[in-house]
Amino acid sequence: MTSLALHGIWFHEGRKMARWSPRSRRHLQRQTPAITQQLLPEIPHSCTHVRGHGGVKGALRQIHRGLPRARFVARFDIAAYYDSMRHDVLRTQCAATDLYAEQQQSIADYLALPDTRGTGCGMVASGGLSPLLGALYLTPLDRRMEAASQRKRLVLYVRYMDDIVLLARTRWQLRRAIAALHEEIAALGLRLHRVKRFIGRTTQGFDFLGYRIRAGARLRPSAEGLRRLRERARRLHEREGDRHRLRQYVLRWQRWHWGGLDGIVSRKGGAERSWQHVLTHLELQRPS
């Protein structure tokens, strides 16, 4: 007997979303904290998106600290991150932990019920267990890359969900780390995005989690980060047409962008610069 019931699935921005029954939502709300407590010790700290591992800002602080010791960087995205994860691999990984039988059954149902085509791969992006299971799935990669860092073959390895950064002192060390990364990714049935990647010198700069990172410089919003700001601001303005609320949204975005990064993020131009950026791109004139 399954512990969950699915009322439907839909797709949002290319990601599969699930609508669970009210009883199933309550069941997941009860189970998720206990499952998280059991699985967190299994997940290396280089995986920063899970609770207590630093989050976005912790990942950025780690990278900024590592930049002075590194000359080369590789930044990758995993293609179809949630869609490609194999259920049999996840079930095996869960079976090797201290999860109870009921918890393992909940995870099995969570994976299988949205898999209407019976592919044995993928999970929904809308459930509370997905970030945790995604972290667990990539633990072989995280452990191997962390071991390389401990042996001084890498300056730093950081992962936030499907975004990966490698920092190395030499080009040779970076090449070896990339080869090892490819081996682990392939063994898990995953692949790296062909376009969303950068390999080069840290002085060239690269984008990560909405920020532009470059050795010797403070963090700034990336082009993609600014694009998302403009897009969300446009949707808000089209929906409500309230200039005051639009400005409040931009100010909140600016505070979040600066938050937790004192001393390493650029504040040039202040919040007024971001507000002017949004006004210009939305073709709204400032009041005289």
Side-chain angles (χ1 to χ4, degrees):
M1 180 178 178
T2 61
S3 57
L4 300 176
L6 190 66
H7 278 189
I9 60 173
W10 80 99
F11 290 86
H12 175 68
E13 296 181 350
R15 289 186 165 188
K16 183 185 288 187
M17 318 293 280
R19 182 178 293 108
W20 301 101
S21 70
R23 182 177 179 182
S24 296
R25 286 198 299 272
R26 291 193 296 271
H27 179 82
L28 284 171
Q29 288 169 356
R30 289 193 306 270
Q31 289 276 20
T32 298
I35 292 174
T36 300
Q37 187 176 4
Q38 296 281 66
L39 292 185
L40 268 180
E42 308 292 332
I43 298 170
H45 275 77
S46 56
C47 173
T48 59
H49 73 264
V50 296
R51 188 182 69 194
H53 287 199
V56 170
K57 303 306 176 69
L60 292 165
R61 290 193 298 269
Q62 285 188 56
I63 292 170
H64 195 269
R65 286 196 299 268
L67 281 177
R69 296 180 286 122
R71 294 175 59 202
F72 297 93
V73 59
R75 189 267 190 202
F76 298 104
D77 271 18
I78 297 175
Y81 176 62
Y82 280 146
D83 290 342
S84 303
M85 293 182 180
R86 290 171 44 189
H87 298 173
D88 60 334
V89 172
L90 270 169
R91 288 196 298 268
T92 300
Q93 290 174 327
C94 289
T97 69
D98 294 329
L99 289 171
Y100 299 121
E102 181 185 5
Q103 294 170 332
Q104 295 196 41
Q105 184 61 54
S106 293
I107 291 171
D109 293 342
Y110 183 87
L111 296 171
L113 289 177
D115 184 19
T116 55
R117 297 183 179 179
T119 63
C121 288
M123 71 177 83
V124 295
S126 57
L129 285 175
S130 295
L132 184 65
L133 295 177
L136 181 67
Y137 194 85
L138 283 166
T139 52
L141 170 65
D142 296 340
R143 288 169 181 156
R144 183 166 179 182
M145 294 294 102
E146 280 195 357
S149 299
Q150 291 165 3
R151 293 195 297 269
K152 308 300 183 183
R153 294 178 182 175
L154 267 180
V155 168
L156 183 68
Y157 162 78
V158 172
R159 178 172 70 86
Y160 186 93
M161 297 187 73
D162 56 343
D163 294 319
I164 297 169
V165 168
L166 306 173
L167 293 178
R169 293 179 181 83
T170 68
R171 196 184 302 274
W172 177 79
Q173 289 173 331
L174 186 64
R175 286 175 176 169
R176 287 197 63 178
I178 292 173
L181 184 144
H182 277 285
E183 286 181 9
E184 295 296 335
I185 288 291
L188 291 168
L190 303 174
R191 59 186 176 86
L192 298 176
H193 201 288
R194 292 183 177 180
V195 176
K196 296 179 181 180
R197 60 174 62 194
F198 172 80
I199 302 173
R201 293 182 177 271
T202 57
T203 51
Q204 293 177 260
F206 60 99
D207 294 347
F208 185 63
L209 302 180
Y211 291 78
R212 183 69 178 171
I213 304 172
R214 183 168 61 86
R218 297 193 175 198
L219 305 179
R220 297 177 180 273
S222 67
E224 176 62 15
L226 290 173
R227 185 197 68 78
R228 291 180 181 177
L229 168 65
R230 296 193 301 268
E231 180 60 28
R232 290 167 182 168
R234 182 182 298 279
R235 289 201 298 264
L236 176 64
H237 183 67
E238 290 174 349
R239 186 172 66 247
E240 301 186 11
D242 187 324
R243 193 186 189 97
H244 175 73
R245 290 202 64 180
L246 179 63
R247 182 176 175 85
Q248 291 304 307
Y249 168 74
V250 174
L251 292 177
R252 286 195 302 272
W253 177 89
Q254 188 69 73
R255 285 195 295 269
W256 184 90
H257 176 78
W258 288 337
L261 299 172
D262 290 346
I264 66 172
V265 66
S266 174
R267 292 177 177 258
K268 185 177 180 181
E272 192 63 25
R273 184 174 185 174
S274 298
W275 174 233
Q276 182 59 47
H277 176 84
V278 168
L279 289 178
T280 300
H281 283 271
L282 268 60
E283 299 180 349
L284 299 173
Q285 292 185 353
R286 302 181 67 179
S288 57

